[in-house]
Amino acid sequence: MSKQRIDSSLMQYIHVLIVTILVAGTWILFSAEFNPQEAIAAIVAGLATGMGGYVLRKQTRHKIFGFRLWLKHLPRFFAGGLTDCWVLTKMLFRMVAGYPSRSTFKKIPFDTGVGKPVDTGRLVLATYGITLQPNSYVVGFNKDRDEMLIHLLDPNHERPIKEDIRRPS
Amino acid sequence: MNIFLLTSLILVISFIPAIIATIRGDAIDRLIGMSLGGIISTLCLITLAVGTGRSIYIDVALTVAFLSFSGTIAFARFLERWL
């Protein structure tokens, strides 16, 4: 058996093991207790899920572990979280110190589309993505003017919306 | 640790051949491995339910059994197309 075959086989075992650990950990987390019974049940659930997922992935040739793809975005994820924390802390200190709030409403051009599923998907994505950020909140959409009304805590930290979300491709 | 928990632990160990068959085998071996894994997990959860006296494991076992059965049927149907 060649070295490449052994490495590939080992990686597949590691993939199943990672899924097993993740599912087992989630099971224990939700059951909120750790004893031998729960550990066995968690391992069984993890192994069954890991095997099922592996078989499906193998048959459909779908690669779920795009580590490099995720790693590329990981620094931005942490940087975004730190920036959000900084913006919120700054605004909180401004409010406590008695400075006037800089929060404002802003209208952004946003193609709301013609009601196709892809347009609804863009609206939902934009609403979730913007509202989940602590600095911004989607108030609503004006379908006649193709605008989106958002509320910004700090206008200096506004983040641009990706073009393929803003307009139908 | 009572006899039922010991049984469930041994059943967990018996997952190993199923995993090896799933990873090393071809499409049919993978199907058999997955089916075996479903049966083992169902049995394991049932013995856990009896051993611990918690009926919630029975519910999980029933769900796993149902999903495993329908999953195997669906997979076999698609396998027919892929082969």
Side-chain angles (χ1 to χ4, degrees), chain A:
Chain A
M1 191 181 286
S2 66
K3 189 176 182 298
Q4 192 181 1
R5 174 75 193 269
I6 293 169
D7 287 349
S8 166
S9 183
L10 186 68
M11 278 309 290
Q12 286 162 356
Y13 281 111
I14 290 170
H15 281 182
V16 173
L17 190 69
I18 289 171
V19 176
T20 304
I21 291 169
L22 278 175
V23 175
T26 311
W27 179 292
I28 289 168
L29 191 73
F30 278 97
S31 66
E33 57 181 309
F34 186 75
N35 48 41
Q37 302 93 288
E38 287 294 338
I40 292 170
I43 290 169
V44 168
L47 282 172
T49 316
M51 278 175 64
Y54 176 80
V55 169
L56 199 66
R57 248 187 354 261
K58 194 81 180 170
Q59 206 60 35
T60 55
R61 294 182 176 83
H62 180 249
K63 288 186 176 175
I64 192 170
F65 289 94
F67 282 120
R68 273 177 288 183
L69 182 73
W70 288 101
L71 278 175
K72 195 174 74 179
H73 294 291
L74 202 60
R76 218 166 61 183
F77 176 74
F78 284 114
L82 284 173
T83 313
D84 288 340
C85 286
W86 165 244
V87 169
L88 278 184
T89 312
K90 205 169 69 174
M91 292 305 293
L92 199 66
F93 274 112
R94 278 182 67 86
M95 282 172 69
V96 170
Y99 287 103
S101 172
R102 285 194 299 207
S103 63
T104 179
F105 287 94
K106 190 175 178 186
K107 286 175 185 170
I108 295 176
F110 190 97
D111 194 340
T112 50
V114 288
K116 285 183 187 172
V118 67
D119 298 325
T120 313
R122 284 190 305 108
L123 290 180
V124 171
L125 261 180
T127 308
Y128 266 102
I130 293 170
T131 306
L132 281 175
Q133 291 175 24
N135 189 36
S136 51
Y137 181 85
V138 174
V139 181
F141 293 91
N142 189 335
K143 293 198 175 187
D144 297 330
R145 294 182 183 175
D146 274 346
E147 281 177 347
M148 177 168 61
L149 182 64
I150 62 169
H151 177 262
L152 289 165
L153 268 180
D154 188 353
N156 298 330
H157 287 278
E158 184 192 350
R159 288 183 192 163
I161 307 171
K162 285 180 79 176
E163 274 303 311
D164 50 351
I165 300 283
R166 197 194 282 239
R167 286 188 185 83
S169 54

